[in-house]
Amino acid sequence: MSLSRDEVTQVALLARLRLEPEELETFTGQLNQIVEFVAQLQELDTHDIVPLAHGVEVRNVFREDLRGPSLPREAALANAPKRNSESFLVPAVLE
Amino acid sequence: MIDPTRSTAVHLLAQMSSGEVSAEEITRAYVDRAERLNPTLNVFLHRDVQKALDQAKAVDARRAAGDSLGPLAGIPVAIKDVLCTLGEPTTCGSRMLKSFRPPYDATVISKLRAADAVIVGKTNMDEFAMGSSTENSAYGPTRNPWDTTRIPGGSSGGSAVAVAADLAPISLGSDTGGSIRQPAALCGIVGLKPSYGRVSRYGLIAFASSLDQVGPFSHDLADTALLLGVIAGRDPMDSTSVDTPVPDYLGTLDTPPPSLRVGIVREYFGEGLDPEIEAAVREAVRVYEAAGATVREVSLPHSKYGGPAYYLVAPAECSSNLSRYDGTIFGHRAEDFSARTPEEESIPPLIRMMMASRAEGFGPEVKRRIMLGTFALSAGYADQYYNQALKVRRLIRNDFDNAFKDVDVLIGPTTPTAAFKLGEKTSDPLAMYLSDIYTITTNLAGIPGLSIPCGMTKSGLPIGLQLMAPAFAEETLLRTARVFEKATDWHSRRPGLS
């Protein structure tokens, strides 16, 4: 298995990363090396093995559904890169 | 007055309660030392000296008034910059969060405050905790106090050096694949990664959520036990934190463990292990034998698959966790995101803004892991890569379960080599990944791992011994390690910094 430059371009788009041409070159080489390294896992027969998502398997932790204070608007907006008095501002989504 | 910066938290607490030294004097001494050494070592990304001194003075005033004080009253603590501190810079070593000021404290920070600790600063780290050398920080590398041409390890390099160079007696780091234990080993101090679920991750900026855990750095195990006792326990804000009682780690530390069956992991003594490290670890085994331990060789047959499994699971989780940095709610936003090529014209402006912001905000290692994870989770590859890695993760956990049927703890080297030179591995990501080969599997299995000093190389660099125990057996782990610490003096070595 090896990744072509076009596939890396596609992955970068999915990952929302704009790559410079030289980055694309470097990352393609490095990602291929890493993919080759992780491909060792294919040697193992894992047919009957149940995947393990967490080291300590805790599931279905419930709590009472109670109302509590939420973050005040000003605190929530304080770190916004662009805002007005009540909203986060982003580039136009609709034409 | 004896220089308080050559002490430990437990001793400083005793000296404060007997009136030999005040909290203000202690904080002042550490702050002054940091003032002198930080320009060389680059440990702190943010310090608020006045605030720290005010906290210390408040402790002194309450002590004088006869108030009851918390278990860390007046003790300076350095904090890895991956932990949120209310209203104070929390950069995670990234340009992305350069001006981020969290609207809340991480639970471990609230616990430190409730314990009356003095927070002396936020420490340098590999960006978003991805790295093994602290060279991936957007704010320059941290240097190893034993040899400033060498790396301190990572990703918690700043917190490790804070303690090793006595800029704070204790500190907090985080460990996703070795990021506490590896720098502890390379800096000659004690570092513990607790069991997954032992310590709350609320307010710990997420890298790989099924692996991340907060833990302490210190000079000796008494301080490890003290700090672990403060930060451990269930937190309603982190549903992966586990509701098991927190033992009195410090109170039982000096009681020898009822059973001392030590396993040596056969697979950890293979190719790539530096002979000097191997010799130090073999000597540690002899120390245990002399202390009456039953030592036997055990096998963790899937060890060699730990790295490959980790470098799928961790990047997969990272690609998901780091999708929140998109230039909209917080973090860096690119000023110019206009289309540069005809292909980019077809991408909507909102998406271009996100892509440009992430390109400017993240460094190369973070981008590499986001892309690797995105690839491993993408349609057509998820089964082959990500799901296979989760199955191998089960095999690795089963290896540990089997080994712990016959032994109480496992020991081996923490790292394959001592601290390497700055720049030595920065152009070869895969070589950098291999410095975590002995630490990665405990994160995958969820069990606790501890590194303690066990020797020095001929060129004067520290060597770490790793001990591992079953999940939630931290008490056994610390008591077993204490047997070695009492029989040796490696933990009392300090680098020759003026």
Side-chain angles (χ1 to χ4, degrees), chain A residues 1 15-16 18 20 23 27 30 41-43 46 50-57 79-81 89, chain B residues 101 196 210 305 327-329 333 340 344 355 358-359 367-368 371 384-385 388 390-391 393-394 397:
Chain A
M1 162 83 221
R16 299 287 186 259
R18 182 159 84 181
E20 301 298 326
E23 277 183 307
F27 283 146
Q30 289 171 337
L41 297 183
Q42 313 301 331
E43 296 166 13
T46 54
V50 180
L52 178 68
H54 273 80
V56 176
E57 292 168 280
N79 284 291
L89 297 183
Chain B
R101 288 174 183 255
Y196 187 76
S210 80
Y305 300 105
T328 62
I329 311 287
R333 178 185 296 192
R340 298 177 308 179
E344 284 186 359
M355 293 181 76
R358 288 161 67 81
K367 290 179 187 173
R368 211 156 24 236
M371 290 207 292
Q384 188 184 353
Y385 290 102
Q388 177 72 355
L390 293 185
K391 290 177 171 187
R393 186 173 183 181
R394 169 83 60 188
R397 226 274 294 279

Side-chain angles (χ1 to χ4, degrees), chain B residues 445-464:
Chain B
I447 63 172
L450 173 72
S451 182
I452 58 174
C454 77
M456 302 288 287
T457 65
K458 284 189 205 77
S459 50
L461 297 171
I463 298 172

Side-chain angles (χ1 to χ4, degrees), chain B residues 318-390:
Chain B
C318 127
S319 73
S320 169
N321 273 323
L322 272 65
S323 64
R324 74 192 60 174
Y325 305 105
D326 59 6
T328 62
I329 311 287
F330 66 123
H332 177 77
R333 178 185 296 192
E335 298 221 340
D336 178 9
F337 46 86
S338 53
R340 298 177 308 179
T341 61
E343 293 84 58
E344 284 186 359
E345 295 282 0
S346 63
I347 302 175
L350 178 66
I351 306 291
R352 279 208 309 268
M353 182 279 280
M354 293 176 177
M355 293 181 76
S357 300
R358 288 161 67 81
E360 291 177 3
F362 293 139
E365 182 59 28
V366 171
K367 290 179 187 173
R368 211 156 24 236
R369 294 204 198 184
I370 288 174
M371 290 207 292
L372 183 61
T374 304
F375 167 71
L377 292 174
S378 61
Y381 295 112
D383 240 11
Q384 188 184 353
Y385 290 102
Y386 181 65
N387 291 344
Q388 177 72 355
L390 293 185

Side-chain angles (χ1 to χ4, degrees), chain B residues 289-313:
Chain B
E289 282 170 337
T294 317
V295 179
R296 61 189 295 172
E297 194 176 88
V298 299
S299 175
L300 300 173
H302 297 94
S303 290
K304 76 164 189 155
Y305 300 105
Y310 177 87
Y311 280 100
L312 285 166
V313 172

Side-chain angles (χ1 to χ4, degrees), chain B residues 41 237 253 259 271 307 362 375 388 420 463 489:
Chain B
L41 299 171
M237 301 301 280
L253 183 65
S259 156
E271 199 188 332
F362 293 139
F375 167 71
Q388 177 72 355
F420 45 91
I463 298 172
D489 71 347

Side-chain angles (χ1 to χ4, degrees), chain A residues 3 20 22 33 40 51 53 62 78 81 86-87 89:
Chain A
L3 279 160
E20 301 298 326
E22 55 275 23
Q33 272 185 344
Q40 288 177 68
F62 293 106
E86 56 183 13
S87 322
L89 297 183

Side-chain angles (χ1 to χ4, degrees), chain A residues 10-53:
Chain A
Q10 181 57 28
V11 168
L13 180 64
L14 290 172
R16 299 287 186 259
L17 285 168
R18 182 159 84 181
L19 296 187
E20 301 298 326
E22 55 275 23
E23 277 183 307
L24 178 62
E25 199 68 37
T26 318
F27 283 146
T28 303
Q30 289 171 337
L31 287 174
N32 273 307
Q33 272 185 344
I34 300 167
V35 168
E36 195 181 316
F37 170 67
V38 300
Q40 288 177 68
L41 297 183
Q42 313 301 331
E43 296 166 13
L44 290 167
D45 179 8
T46 54
H47 192 69
D48 297 323
I49 307 297
V50 180
L52 178 68

